[in-house]
Amino acid sequence: MRRIAGIVLAVLLIGGVVAAVVAGRDTGDTSTATKTVRGVIGSEKAEFFADPEVVKALAAEGYTVRTETSGSWAMDGLDLKGYDFAFPSSKAPADELAEKYRVREPLPRPFYSPLVVVAHRGAAEVLSRNGLATLDKDRGVLDMGAYLKAAEAGRTWQQLKGANRYGELSGLLYIATTDPTTSSSGALYLAAASNVANDGRVVASEADIKRTAPLLHDLISVQGAQQPSSDAAFRDFVSGVGNPLVLVYESQVAALLADGQKVDDLVVLYPDTTVNSDHTVVPVTDEGRALGELLGTDPELRRLAARHGFRPQGSAKEFTAATAGLTTYLTPRLTVRQAPVPTSEVLHEMARRARGR
């Protein structure tokens, strides 16, 4: 019996070693990571956390990170029990989560990304010809005031000079966004638009909400069904389907171009009044806080974040280096106006009314 038990134990041990070796081969991870940290993240960061170099850099600091994706505003409806952190793509939903779970300030904000509008060359040139944008090679600046006036008046592409040269430019002029009630980029679009409509002041009162609500409703209702995430909206644009003007994060464009991928006749428009998306970690546990701080301080992780299109907080050197060959599309030093974001309560109410709820 002892001999049989010994043989069985040996077989089990060998099987365990083989399984471990196979697992190591599958992941390519030969590190000595000791802590597994679980988090819910915005979809725009999925490729960053899945990058083998990011996995390796985290493992070198003792972390294995497991993530699931969710719309930033939708995270409020999740039960974060069993998770170490949430990582929405802007500060407003992060503040709401922090209050709900009584997370102490300050919250780690390792990197950020401004909102941009991606356009095909024909659409961008029509906007430029009609005083709605200025172009410089494959990038430009969108005049938010002029665009909002056109949208409020219900202008169509056919009413714009030069649009008849492009068969795909028809119907109402609008920028396609994500659903502002569940997605951060859609909500931040309302923040920027409402700031312009409110004479450069942040929407802060019921009177401000009422004043800007009709325009915001026009901007959203014209879109019909909206994508739940900026990742899906950007993939549709790259594949050549959907609207000729789409709101995305600069990081998504930068990551695609840095990876050597090309988008036919792509033009990147920076709204002259925009909102930066501060990717903010909401640490539910001490391990989650340590990870959030590491993402903002570790040189290798900062470099990799920039390679994925994000702008690390503080120094601009990593982003400038990562996008050195992409400046025909991207603006390393932002010169557009950064609008303040309303409180999460106000932003929720703006989104609700914009959706007609």
Side-chain angles (χ1 to χ4, degrees), residues 16 22 76-77 107 164 213 249 259 266 279 314 322 329 331-332:
V22 170
D76 186 53
L107 303 179
N164 58 350
Y249 294 114
D259 196 39
L266 170 69
H279 294 266
Y329 294 97
T331 303

Side-chain angles (χ1 to χ4, degrees), residues 344-357:
S344 59
E345 182 181 359
V346 169
L347 205 51
H348 268 307
E349 183 61 18
M350 289 165 56
R352 187 186 69 79
R353 297 191 194 186
R355 290 284 294 171
R357 296 177 182 172

Side-chain angles (χ1 to χ4, degrees), residues 82-258:
Y83 292 90
D84 296 286
F85 69 96
F87 202 174
S89 54
S90 64
K91 186 175 181 294
D95 287 343
E96 196 165 274
L97 285 169
E99 182 178 357
K100 179 178 179 180
Y101 290 94
R102 298 180 181 178
V103 177
R104 66 179 172 84
E105 299 280 354
L107 303 179
R109 291 187 295 153
F111 42 73
Y112 68 98
S113 183
L115 293 172
V116 298
V117 175
V118 287
H120 293 296
R121 169 63 61 180
E125 289 182 349
V126 170
L127 293 179
S128 176
R129 186 172 180 180
N130 289 268
L132 300 176
T134 56
L135 300 183
D136 178 15
K137 296 181 181 178
D138 297 316
R139 70 186 187 197
V141 175
L142 177 70
D143 186 326
M144 280 290 283
Y147 163 71
L148 292 177
K149 286 180 181 177
E152 192 171 28
R155 295 187 74 180
T156 64
W157 283 104
Q158 292 92 325
Q159 292 173 319
L160 301 181
K161 291 181 294 185
N164 58 350
R165 295 174 53 196
Y166 307 98
E168 70 276 15
L169 299 181
S170 63
L172 289 169
L173 170 68
Y174 69 89
I175 296 170
T177 72
T178 56
D179 185 343
T181 62
T182 60
S183 172
S184 183
S185 61
L188 293 180
Y189 174 63
L190 297 186
S194 66
N195 188 270
V196 175
N198 202 37
D199 299 323
R201 300 188 305 272
V202 64
V203 172
S205 66
E206 176 62 24
D208 291 340
I209 295 174
K210 283 185 177 180
R211 186 182 305 113
T212 57
L215 171 61
L216 301 188
H217 181 262
D218 289 344
L219 296 177
I220 299 302
S221 63
V222 70
Q223 299 183 45
Q226 293 174 289
Q227 290 283 15
S229 73
S230 58
D231 182 57
F234 186 53
R235 278 190 277 107
D236 280 355
F237 177 84
V238 171
S239 64
V241 301
N243 200 56
L245 302 174
V246 181
L247 185 86
V248 298
Y249 294 114
E250 178 197 53
S251 59
Q252 294 169 291
V253 183
L256 185 82
L257 296 174

Side-chain angles (χ1 to χ4, degrees), residues 36-49 64-90 93-94 97 100-101 108 110-111 182 279-285 288 291-292 295:
T36 297
V37 182
R38 294 184 65 209
V40 181
I41 64 172
S43 62
E44 70 289 330
K45 292 183 285 289
E47 290 190 6
F48 170 74
F49 280 104
T64 296
V65 180
R66 308 290 185 207
T67 61
E68 300 170 24
T69 60
S70 167
S72 293
W73 284 109
M75 290 180 189
D76 186 53
L78 302 177
D79 182 0
L80 295 182
K81 184 178 180 180
Y83 292 90
D84 296 286
F85 69 96
F87 202 174
S89 54
S90 64
L97 285 169
K100 179 178 179 180
Y101 290 94
F111 42 73
T182 60
H279 294 266
T280 306
V281 177
V282 182
V284 182
T285 66
L291 173 67
L295 291 172

